[in-house]
Amino acid sequence: MEFSYVNHTQIHFGKGQIASIKNSINTKDKVLFIYGGGSIKKNGVYQEVVDALADHAWVEFSGVEPNPTMETLDKAVALAKQEGVNFILAVGGGSVIDGSKYVAAASLYDGAGWDILEGKHSPQSALPIGAILTLPATGSESNPAAVITRAATQEKLSFYNPIVRPTFAVLDAHVMKTLPERQLANGLVDAWVHVCEQYITYPTGAMVQDGYAETLLKNLLVLAKDYDNRDNDAWRENLMWTANQALNGLISVGVPQDWATHMIGHEFTARYGVDHARSLTLVQPSLLRHQIEAKRGKLEQMGKNVFGFAESDKLAEQTIDAIEHFYQSLNLETRFSPEGEDRSTSINNLMAQIEAHGLTAIGENQALGLKEIREILEDVIV
């Protein structure tokens, strides 16, 4: 275990914390307030932000969609440059925050913003970002990663750069009260798979990372079992904080990471518009079964320490079945049936995208090549 770890995002957690942003953003800064489809105007968050920015100069940009697109975000970049803003305030879920990271970096770059996603440009500076989280799922509010879609070419790519980690994040679980049930379930399983990608690899003896990951997974199991009682502050607060901790970088330091489920899942979202979280539940059980021997040690550990199973010869298999049942209990699918397209066409289309994006050696051991990914897709797509 050798690593350097820092997370400079200041967290303001709890009811009424949106007001704290007035002290977190310098009054000399001109703010670009970025949000999504307008739900924040219905639940009162928009007005809370406006009140908190009373002493600041600001402009707004709305319309950032789920799975934010380069095409939309480039309009925000143009506005940021035109208005000379020097602070980005992202108000929304992971999509808005990811999109704001793109805007923050692209606003200080003269070339095409997509260069950042393709690795042609590595930003050395970005506008500072603050985040007000309205949907717990991605942990984007305190990490340096973003995933962006290019609608014209049906590509979904990611970038990771410390300069776009938010300087502060407001986590007020009260704003979750008006979220649709679909988004709550998505957030819960998104956090679950984030932990799994950093945990279900191979044993390394990292007691802190393993123990914390197992605690987060058990939290999510409890929240899922208590899903019918989700309309209370404690349930919402625990989901919001668990989802943050799942991907703020702590449980990944010094240990191997997988992320193959995400890489394959992104292709389902880019081509078929599948919700991000639901693309993960489609892929993960089949991927785990395909890679069961390489992952057997951690799957057995998870079975005992998270699900409470007794030792057995089929403990790894039992654990994968339990993960799949967990998704199904929340009404999320683990198989994909394309509409208006036959099975072989879907597999070939996805494989063409996967090959074009260079996903020829993925997973913690780089053991998943085109042959192995095709075998996984043949199990996923029915």
Side-chain angles (χ1 to χ4, degrees):
M1 278 201 305
E2 296 177 356
F3 59 84
S4 297
Y5 175 72
V6 62
N7 189 329
H8 65 240
T9 303
Q10 182 177 11
I11 303 293
H12 302 292
F13 194 99
K15 192 173 181 179
Q17 289 280 19
I18 292 175
S20 69
I21 68 172
K22 65 183 178 183
N23 300 317
S24 298
I25 306 173
N26 194 307
T27 53
K28 296 179 181 179
D29 289 335
K30 186 171 185 179
V31 179
L32 176 58
F33 168 14
I34 299 180
Y35 59 99
S39 61
I40 63 170
K41 290 187 175 180
K42 298 175 185 176
N43 63 15
V45 171
Y46 179 89
Q47 190 58 51
E48 289 187 63
V49 174
V50 170
D51 292 345
L53 292 176
D55 296 330
H56 294 75
W58 59 276
V59 293
E60 67 179 78
F61 181 87
S62 63
V64 178
E65 58 272 89
N67 302 305
T69 65
M70 176 203 75
E71 288 84 349
T72 295
L73 298 172
D74 279 345
K75 297 175 185 177
V77 171
L79 178 62
K81 291 180 176 180
Q82 174 188 320
E83 293 289 337
V85 304
N86 46 23
F87 195 94
I88 305 290
L89 180 62
V91 183
S95 292
V96 171
I97 300 170
D98 279 16
S100 295
K101 292 174 181 178
Y102 174 94
V103 174
S107 293
L108 299 184
Y109 176 52
D110 291 333
W114 194 248
D115 289 349
I116 299 169
L117 279 299
E118 291 188 323
K120 295 177 181 177
H121 171 64
S122 180
Q124 301 302 306
S125 60
L127 296 174
I129 304 166
I132 298 176
L133 183 67
T134 60
L135 170 61
T138 68
S140 188
E141 68 275 6
S142 64
N143 71 40
V147 183
I148 309 297
T149 296
R150 187 178 185 177
T153 54
Q154 294 184 314
E155 294 176 273
K156 186 173 182 179
L157 301 178
S158 62
F159 76 98
Y160 183 100
N161 193 314
I163 64 170
V164 295
R165 188 192 298 271
T167 60
F168 70 83
V170 174
L171 278 66
D172 179 352
H174 191 71
V175 307
M176 295 166 56
K177 291 187 74 171
T178 57
L179 284 175
E181 183 174 330
R182 183 183 183 90
Q183 290 185 327
L184 272 183
N186 283 356
L188 200 156
V189 300
D190 198 4
W192 173 276
V193 181
H194 287 158
V195 179
C196 289
E197 296 275 43
Q198 300 162 89
Y199 173 77
I200 309 178
T201 55
Y202 51 85
T204 61
M207 295 171 66
V208 171
Q209 291 90 323
D210 279 3
Y212 198 10
E214 289 163 3
T215 294
L216 296 173
L217 291 170
K218 286 189 285 188
N219 285 358
L220 294 166
L221 279 182
V222 170
L223 292 170
K225 289 176 182 176
D226 198 34
Y227 194 71
D228 288 343
N229 297 315
R230 60 193 174 279
D231 190 20
N232 70 74
D233 287 343
W235 194 98
R236 289 188 288 264
E237 287 168 353
N238 278 298
L239 176 57
M240 184 168 265
W241 191 228
T242 300
N244 174 273
Q245 298 294 291
L247 201 58
N248 69 355
L250 181 58
I251 63 172
S252 68
V253 293
V255 299
Q257 300 176 56
D258 185 346
W259 299 109
T261 293
H262 271 71
M263 293 179 184
I264 299 170
H266 286 167
E267 304 298 347
F268 278 91
T269 299
R271 181 158 191 89
Y272 298 107
V274 178
D275 292 2
H276 170 64
R278 290 164 192 260
S279 77
L280 304 179
T281 67
L282 292 176
V283 174
Q284 192 201 37
S286 295
L287 185 149
L288 293 178
R289 291 189 175 101
H290 188 280
Q291 292 292 295
I292 191 168
E293 294 310 323
K295 295 177 177 290
R296 186 171 290 277
K298 288 304 282 285
L299 284 166
E300 291 176 345
Q301 182 178 326
M302 183 179 182
K304 288 182 285 188
N305 295 349
V306 176
F307 289 105
F309 296 147
E311 190 73 62
S312 76
D313 293 339
K314 296 291 185 180
L315 182 53
E317 289 83 353
Q318 186 181 5
T319 301
I320 298 171
D321 289 345
I323 292 171
E324 189 166 36
H325 176 72
F326 167 65
Y327 298 147
Q328 292 167 349
S329 73
L330 292 166
N331 296 316
L332 278 79
E333 296 180 350
T334 56
R335 294 292 187 277
F336 182 70
S337 298
E339 292 184 14
E341 192 173 77
D342 63 68
R343 178 174 177 270
S344 61
T345 299
S346 295
I347 293 171
N348 289 335
N349 286 338
L350 288 167
M351 287 304 304
Q353 291 180 197
I354 286 164
E355 186 170 8
H357 295 149
L359 305 183
T360 57
I362 60 176
E364 69 271 24
N365 299 307
Q366 289 77 57
L368 295 181
L370 296 177
K371 173 180 176 292
E372 292 76 17
I373 295 172
R374 178 177 285 274
E375 289 169 353
I376 291 167
L377 291 179
E378 287 174 347
D379 188 50
V380 172
I381 298 175
V382 295

